[in-house]
Amino acid sequence: VDAIFINNDNTALAAFDPVPQITFINPQTFGNPIYYALMDATGLQVGDYLVGTDTYFVATVDDVAAPLVVRCNHILTFTRKGPGAPGANAYGGDQASTTLLTSWPASVTQGTKGERGDAGLPRDPRQPWVQILLPAVSGVQLRYGDFAVDDQAQPMRYLVSSVEQTPLGYRITASVV
């Protein structure tokens, strides 16, 4: 049981379980940040953040079922590169980036595959992929080619390769660059 803050408005007690039956007997598994929250969901809305020992975002709220929440393990800032600068050739370089989201808690888990580098040498490691889960943000449309940078001591930079906006929020596939 954890004391959590909902939208900085109020405090509630909540317990989190990875299975909807909320039996507290199943351990969490690798790569699965999805939990069900046992709590009073009065006033809770999709997209709210629950902040306590850990941070979660609310993916669903139902009248008869426990809210589905996603445990966040990174803070991400999303940017989009501007158009190419004028120059003698078609490329011309990048102009300044536009910041889309600043310091948003999100779930970042390892993807299922990697991709070979351009050199294609036999001992080259595969370029890692990640899955990012993030609540939908009003007025912001993330898309292919956007960048995300996390808050780690040695920041990771991700290049968004696909974005799916679902009723639960964004499901993003990105490569580590």
Side-chain angles (χ1 to χ4, degrees), residues 14-122:
F16 301 94
D17 197 354
V19 295
Q21 294 81 10
I22 307 183
T23 58
F24 301 108
I25 59 173
N26 295 52
Q28 183 64 322
T29 58
F30 284 109
N32 184 12
I34 307 299
Y35 287 86
Y36 296 86
L38 180 59
M39 62 181 293
D40 177 4
T42 304
L44 197 62
Q45 297 178 24
V46 170
D48 283 351
Y49 278 94
L50 309 177
V51 180
T53 304
D54 292 310
T55 298
Y56 302 83
F57 74 82
V58 178
T60 65
V61 178
D62 191 349
D63 291 338
V64 295
L68 183 72
V69 298
V70 178
R71 185 174 177 212
C72 301
N73 60 347
H74 289 271
I75 306 289
L76 299 178
T77 295
F78 285 85
T79 58
R80 182 171 296 147
K81 289 286 186 187
N89 60 28
Y91 175 64
D94 287 327
Q95 290 189 354
S97 298
T98 301
T99 301
L100 304 169
L101 297 171
T102 302
S103 299
W104 279 80
S107 169
V108 179
T109 55
Q110 183 172 338
T112 58
K113 66 173 190 123
E115 189 172 290
R116 291 240 182 242
D118 292 336
L121 298 173

Side-chain angles (χ1 to χ4, degrees), residues 76-79 106-115 126-133 142-150 156-164 170-177:
L76 299 178
T77 295
F78 285 85
T79 58
S107 169
V108 179
T109 55
Q110 183 172 338
T112 58
K113 66 173 190 123
E115 189 172 290
R126 292 185 178 267
Q127 180 179 356
W129 287 81
V130 296
Q131 177 175 270
I132 300 170
L133 301 177
L142 299 175
R143 64 181 185 211
Y144 169 84
D146 290 342
F147 288 95
V149 177
D150 70 20
M156 296 294 291
R157 186 170 185 238
Y158 308 102
L159 174 61
V160 173
S161 62
S162 70
V163 177
E164 178 184 16
Y170 285 113
R171 184 168 63 168
I172 299 167
T173 303
S175 59
V176 178
V177 292

